[in-house]
Amino acid sequence: MLKEEVMRSTIGHTLDGQPNRILLVTIHHMLYPITVEVLHQVFSPHGFVEKIVTFQKSAGFQALIQYQGCQSAVSARTSLQGRNIYDGCCQLDIQFSNLDELQVHYNNDRSRDFTNPNLPTEQKGRSTQHPGYGDVGGMYTSEAHGARAVGFSQMANAAAIAAAFGGGLPPGISGTNDRCTVLVSNLNPDRIDEDKLFNLFSLYGNIVRIKLLRNKPDHALVQMGDGFQAELAVHFLKGAMLFGKRLEVNFSKHPNITQGADTHEYVNSNLNRFNRNAAKNYRYCCSPTKMVHLSTLPQDVTEEEIVNHLAEHGTIVNTKLFEMNGKKQALVMFETEEQATEALVSKHATSLGGSIIRISFSQLQTIRENSL
C-alpha cells in the first residue's frame, strides 16, 4: 500500500524544484542493492533524517529522504549530488521533492520512520523481517528470490552476491547461514597443507585463519570471512576430489578458530580475493571444473611456459592464451576436475616469469577460438 501511495505521490515531481526538506533520490548504475540503512548512513551526516521510503519505478531505484529541516536537505543535495555510494557505482541523482510529509507505515529495510521506532515491520499475516536491528541496524532481504533476512554486518557481501546473480542467490544457497567456520575432512594428510586449503577455499570468500587438526590429520578447520562465504564453500566443495580423496565439507560446531601456534593467519593476506571486486568474484563461484582460468600473467608468457608450469598435476587437454583489457590471461583444460583442482591449489599465487599468477575455476565447458 505504501509503495503505491508513494509512487502516485512522486508523479509530477519537478526537476531542481524549490528547496524542500524532502529529497527525491534516484540511484543510477546500481550494482549493489541499497537499503534504508545505507541511505541513512549516507544522508544523516547532513542533519536529522526523520523518514526514508524506497521504491522501484521506471526511472529505477528511488528513495524519498525527509529531513527535520530544509537546510539539512539543501546541504545534503549540495554535498552528495552526483557522488557514488560505492566505488564506481550507485550514483546519487538528487532533486527536491514537492511532497510536504512522508507517510510511513512500517519500519523495515524498505521504509523507516526514525521518529517512531514502534511501527510494525510488516502487515499482519505477512512474514516479518528479522527484528534484531543492531547498532548499525538494517537487514538485507530479497523476497522475490527467496532470500531471507541477513544481518547488516554481512550486507556488503549479500549485496555483492545479489548483484552477481541478478538480484537473487545461487540455487541451493539460502543466504541465512551465520556460521563462519567450516570443517573439512577426508583430506590427504601427506599432500595437504594450510596454503593449499587457502587457495581452494579463498575462491568462495576471504579466509581468516586455518587450522590442521593434529589429532585428526585428515581434518582441518577453515574460518571464512562471514556466513555467506562459508555457505558458498560448503555448497560448492562438498564431495570435491582432491589428492585422491573425496572431501567432506560441513559447518563446524565451533563459531571461530582460536588463534594459536598451530593456526595459520590469513585475515590480512593480500591474496584474499574478496577485498576487491567482490561481485565479480561471487559471479565466478562454482564447483570444481576441468577448466582453470589464469590471470595476472607476464605479458611475454607463452602457452608452452603455462603448460610446463601446470603439467605435473595432470593431463592437459587444451589451452588458450589471450589478451583482455591489455592483460594476458589463459584457459587450461585438464582431463578431470580433480587434476584441475590439484593444479589450482598447488599453483595459485605462485611465480611464473616473475609474476604472481591467479588461478580460478572457469565455468566454460570448452575452449573455442571465438569464445572470448
Side-chain angles (χ1 to χ4, degrees), residues 5-78:
E5 188 175 295
V6 173
M7 286 175 69
R8 285 195 301 269
S9 298
T10 55
I11 295 173
H13 270 285
T14 56
L15 294 174
D16 300 325
Q18 292 299 312
N20 184 14
R21 66 181 183 136
I22 300 178
L23 298 173
L24 173 64
V25 181
T26 304
I27 311 289
H28 297 297
H29 193 43
M30 199 174 88
L31 294 185
Y32 303 119
I34 301 298
T35 63
V36 160
E37 201 57 42
V38 171
L39 291 168
H40 187 258
Q41 290 187 26
V42 170
F43 283 88
S44 61
H46 300 279
F48 180 69
V49 175
E50 292 183 338
K51 301 173 183 179
I52 298 177
V53 174
T54 65
F55 48 95
Q56 195 77 29
K57 287 188 68 178
S58 58
F61 182 90
Q62 294 186 309
L64 289 162
I65 316 284
Q66 179 175 314
Y67 280 98
Q68 193 172 47
C70 182
Q71 187 54 46
S72 297
V74 172
S75 170
R77 184 179 183 279
T78 301

Side-chain angles (χ1 to χ4, degrees), residues 299-317:
Q299 284 299 104
D300 58 351
V301 72
T302 65
E303 283 195 29
E304 184 181 5
E305 289 173 320
I306 293 170
V307 169
N308 290 339
H309 195 65
L310 301 179
E312 66 178 292
H313 303 293
T315 302
I316 294 176
V317 176

Side-chain angles (χ1 to χ4, degrees), residues 59-360:
F61 182 90
Q62 294 186 309
L64 289 162
I65 316 284
Q66 179 175 314
Y67 280 98
Q68 193 172 47
C70 182
Q71 187 54 46
S72 297
V74 172
S75 170
R77 184 179 183 279
T78 301
S79 300
L80 299 174
Q81 170 62 18
R83 299 276 297 276
N84 293 332
I85 295 178
Y86 298 115
D87 287 345
C89 65
C90 302
Q91 186 183 41
L92 296 168
D93 183 2
I94 307 172
Q95 306 160 24
F96 292 111
S97 167
N98 55 16
L99 297 176
D100 296 319
E101 181 79 27
L102 295 183
Q103 300 299 318
V104 175
H105 303 293
Y106 309 109
N107 283 339
N108 53 37
D109 65 331
R110 297 177 301 280
S111 63
R112 189 78 55 83
D113 186 343
F114 294 93
T115 68
N116 186 1
N118 298 319
L119 287 176
T121 57
E122 201 65 76
Q123 284 177 277
K124 289 183 179 179
R126 292 186 62 187
S127 60
T128 60
Q129 307 298 330
H130 191 294
Y133 292 112
D135 290 341
V136 289
M139 311 304 294
Y140 168 73
T141 60
S142 180
E143 293 177 350
H145 293 83
R148 286 174 280 168
V150 175
F152 182 85
S153 63
Q154 299 179 5
M155 193 212 67
N157 288 313
I161 289 179
F165 294 95
L169 295 172
I173 301 295
S174 70
T176 63
N177 173 63
D178 59 0
R179 294 165 291 180
C180 299
T181 304
V182 171
L183 175 67
V184 192
S185 58
N186 205 32
L187 293 163
N188 185 332
D190 296 325
R191 302 193 63 185
I192 201 67
D193 59 39
E194 290 88 349
D195 287 346
K196 288 185 175 71
L197 283 171
F198 172 88
N199 289 346
L200 182 59
F201 279 79
S202 64
L203 290 168
Y204 308 100
N206 288 337
I207 307 300
V208 177
R209 63 182 58 95
I210 295 176
K211 179 179 181 179
L212 294 177
L213 304 187
R214 302 305 171 193
N215 58 336
K216 295 181 179 178
D218 65 338
H219 284 57
L221 291 171
V222 179
Q223 184 176 337
M224 309 288 290
D226 60 44
F228 271 122
Q229 299 174 352
E231 186 176 11
L232 289 171
V234 169
H235 177 75
F236 286 119
L237 289 178
K238 188 183 287 285
M241 292 294 297
L242 179 62
F243 299 131
K245 298 283 191 175
R246 189 172 297 280
L247 301 183
E248 282 296 322
V249 186
N250 296 287
F251 297 111
S252 171
K253 64 181 179 181
H254 301 287
N256 50 57
I257 302 172
T258 304
Q259 189 172 355
D262 55 351
T263 61
H264 278 226
E265 300 299 307
Y266 295 98
V267 67
N268 294 318
S269 172
N270 59 7
L271 296 176
N272 270 317
R273 302 175 188 244
F274 286 72
N275 291 328
R276 297 179 61 190
N277 300 322
K280 185 171 86 170
N281 283 302
Y282 281 125
R283 193 178 303 123
Y284 295 147
C285 284
C286 64
S287 296
T289 65
K290 297 177 185 179
M291 186 99 69
V292 292
H293 174 262
L294 284 71
S295 58
T296 63
L297 293 166
Q299 284 299 104
D300 58 351
V301 72
T302 65
E303 283 195 29
E304 184 181 5
E305 289 173 320
I306 293 170
V307 169
N308 290 339
H309 195 65
L310 301 179
E312 66 178 292
H313 303 293
T315 302
I316 294 176
V317 176
N318 201 357
T319 62
K320 181 178 181 182
L321 184 62
F322 60 96
E323 193 168 299
M324 185 169 288
N325 298 326
K327 297 179 180 178
K328 283 290 179 70
Q329 301 182 34
L331 290 170
V332 178
M333 175 173 273
F334 285 87
E335 198 168 54
T336 67
E337 288 87 353
E338 182 179 3
Q339 293 172 359
T341 304
E342 180 181 324
L344 186 150
V345 303
S346 302
K347 294 296 168 66
H348 172 67
T350 58
S351 178
L352 176 61
S355 295
I356 302 301
I357 63 172
R358 289 169 56 96
I359 306 179
S360 56

